[in-house]
Amino acid sequence: MDRLRLWFNILDIRHVLSSQADIEEARILLQKEGNKQRNEKVTDAWLLSLSSVHADTGAVISPVFRPQGFLPISAPLVVASLIPHKSIKHALFWQFLLQAYCAGFNHSNRNATVTKDNTTSMMQSILMVGTVSYSTFAGALPQIILQRLGLFSAVIETFCRSVLPIPLSACLAAFSVMVVRSEESDNGIQVFDSNGNAVGVSKEAGSKAIKETALSRAALFGTTAAVPSFLLALLKRTKFAQKNPMIIAPVRNVSTAIIFGLMIPVSFSLFPQFGKIKRENLEKEFRSLESNGDLFYHRGL
């Protein structure tokens, strides 16, 4: 509950357009007074820093890819990608925008504790392009099945419109995280002791960070696709909806946006930002460390 409450505060939409000067001012205030007092001004500065500054690099995150910008930017894309489309081109267009934004968000909020060379950066760019391309066509699969294969029976249409998007949305969201952030499991991420001292780089910790983030993203997009479909199935059985079929589309769009908005802080808080991992679950070189207890890593978002 504490993590969920914190994320509700971090996702305050007022911080999304904060300038770099505002963020630097907040960081200076925290350096001077952060450990001395806790008032509303210091708390706001702390939340602004958490939501706008990358935890590993200290660089200011682009407003487009800050956590508090995730809802206003991606919600319309999610709604548009889940509505029934008249053509494959429309489905591909909205899927491309959604998948491209999600890939950029995943990359901007990754764990960046390990310095990368130019070859790795080029490889990441290639992986991102491939991820967006594959996810775009996979996301439009329900529309492709209906139109290209000419399958328009009531059962198949219901399956493609209401059932298939649920696992598809969850899997594509997890897939994007796992591929875009694959360098964390390939190169490893830094792990720290309880005093905050870096003790090495671990590929096992990198894999754990990716898996946790992929699960949280799958929960976000899978739930967003599932709940409105369930609500519409119940609504269509009512006499009111049968007499007023025009109400179906607004209810679907509004419920999708609401569920997505509610699920963002829930999914972001499923796992702690600084996760724990036991030394015995890491590489052999970490098992001989003198530090007691668990080690820690930055999960990213």
Side-chain angles (χ1 to χ4, degrees):
M1 287 300 294
D2 289 338
R3 289 203 303 268
L4 180 60
R5 191 179 302 112
L6 175 61
W7 271 111
F8 269 110
N9 292 328
I10 291 176
L11 293 170
D12 189 340
I13 195 65
R14 294 175 299 174
H15 293 155
V16 71
L17 295 178
S18 297
S19 65
Q20 187 158 350
D22 294 333
I23 297 169
E24 290 299 330
E25 184 179 342
R27 297 174 73 178
I28 292 173
L29 177 63
L30 290 175
Q31 291 173 358
K32 290 181 177 179
E33 303 182 20
N35 296 325
K36 297 178 182 179
Q37 58 180 331
R38 285 284 180 179
N39 54 39
E40 185 176 351
K41 191 174 182 180
V42 172
T43 300
D44 287 342
W46 180 60
L47 291 174
L48 177 58
S49 182
L50 278 178
S51 61
S52 306
V53 179
H54 197 285
D56 298 326
T57 65
V60 175
I61 302 172
S62 168
V64 176
F65 297 122
R66 291 176 192 171
Q68 62 269 44
F70 189 68
L71 174 61
I73 295 176
S74 60
L77 303 180
V78 171
V79 172
S81 67
L82 290 175
I83 62 175
H85 295 284
K86 294 183 178 180
S87 69
I88 295 176
K89 289 182 179 180
H90 291 161
L92 289 173
F93 174 75
W94 289 110
Q95 281 293 332
F96 171 76
L97 293 181
L98 175 62
Q99 300 302 335
Y101 177 75
C102 287
F105 183 87
N106 294 335
H107 186 262
S108 296
N109 293 277
R110 71 198 187 283
N111 181 298
T113 52
V114 177
T115 304
K116 305 160 198 64
D117 56 25
N118 292 332
T119 303
T120 305
S121 297
M122 178 62 70
M123 180 59 68
Q124 276 306 110
S125 299
I126 294 173
L127 286 175
M128 288 181 67
V129 171
T131 300
V132 173
S133 301
Y134 175 82
S135 298
T136 296
F137 283 97
L141 189 60
Q143 190 71 28
I144 295 173
I145 291 175
L146 288 175
Q147 289 195 238
R148 288 298 184 188
L149 301 183
L151 304 175
F152 283 102
S153 70
V155 174
I156 294 178
E157 186 169 2
T158 300
F159 174 78
C160 290
R161 299 293 193 199
S162 303
V163 179
L164 183 57
I166 298 173
L168 196 58
S169 298
C171 290
L172 290 178
F175 171 77
S176 179
V177 173
M178 295 180 73
V179 177
V180 170
R181 293 180 52 177
S182 59
E183 62 180 0
E184 295 171 36
S185 58
D186 294 338
N187 301 332
I189 61 175
Q190 282 189 352
V191 291
F192 306 87
D193 60 20
S194 56
N195 296 320
N197 299 315
V199 296
V201 175
S202 170
K203 294 181 180 181
E204 294 295 332
S207 296
K208 189 170 185 286
I210 294 173
K211 289 176 183 177
E212 290 175 344
T213 307
L215 285 173
S216 69
R217 208 73 90 243
L220 169 60
F221 283 87
T223 304
T224 300
V227 174
S229 294
F230 177 72
L231 292 176
L232 286 180
L234 295 178
L235 181 63
K236 288 177 180 179
R237 296 183 179 183
T238 65
K239 293 181 178 179
F240 178 77
Q242 292 172 0
K243 292 181 180 179
N244 303 275
M246 296 294 290
I247 199 175
I248 298 295
V251 170
R252 177 182 55 240
N253 298 343
V254 172
S255 62
T256 299
I258 291 175
I259 297 301
F260 185 69
L262 293 175
M263 277 300 299
I264 287 176
V266 173
S267 66
F268 284 0
S269 63
L270 282 179
F271 301 97
Q273 283 300 98
F274 289 92
K276 289 182 181 181
I277 188 167
K278 296 184 180 297
R279 284 184 296 166
E280 52 265 31
N281 294 333
L282 295 174
E283 290 84 347
K284 292 181 180 179
E285 57 265 28
F286 292 97
R287 299 172 191 173
S288 59
L289 291 176
E290 296 181 357
S291 58
N292 296 321
D294 298 328
L295 296 177
F296 302 85
Y297 59 92
H298 175 225
R299 178 174 66 85
L301 184 63

